[in-house]
């Protein structure tokens, strides 16, 4: 058999083209981009520290922050506390 006869056979040429196409498809595989979570601040107003002498406000603040932390599974920062009613 002649070397030129083996190379020029349609089946061999199609296998070579298919192998090249697969290599290029894997080489140019798109890279997945991870979306970064952006933290947004709800209020930009300046806040005053919690009055630690007011026991009800301190307990309410702690309970609210623990509940919110369990809900979102992230760190929580209490910005302000107001008395309602």
């Amino acid at each position: 058999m002649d070397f030129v006869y083996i190379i020029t056979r349609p089946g061999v040429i199609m296998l070579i083209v298919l192998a090249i196409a697969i290599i290029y498809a894997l080489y140019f595989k798109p890279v997945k981009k991870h979306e970064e979570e952006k933290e947004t601040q709800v209020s930009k107003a300046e806040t005053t520290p919690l009055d630690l002498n007011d026991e009800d406000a301190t307990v309410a603040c702690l309970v609210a922050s623990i509940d919110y932390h369990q809900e979102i599974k992230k760190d929580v920062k209490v910005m302000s506390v107001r008395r309602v009613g």
Side-chain angles (χ1 to χ4, degrees), residues 26-69:
L26 294 176
Y27 182 74
F28 293 113
K29 183 178 177 181
V31 178
K32 293 181 180 177
K33 295 181 180 179
H34 298 282
E35 295 181 12
E36 296 180 11
E37 296 180 10
K38 297 180 180 179
E39 295 181 17
T40 57
Q41 186 176 359
V42 177
S43 175
K44 293 185 179 182
E46 293 184 21
T47 59
T48 58
L50 177 65
D51 182 18
L52 296 176
N53 295 329
D54 187 6
E55 186 177 325
D56 292 335
T58 305
V59 171
C61 179
L62 289 173
V63 170
S65 63
I66 290 170
D67 286 344
Y68 192 62
H69 174 70

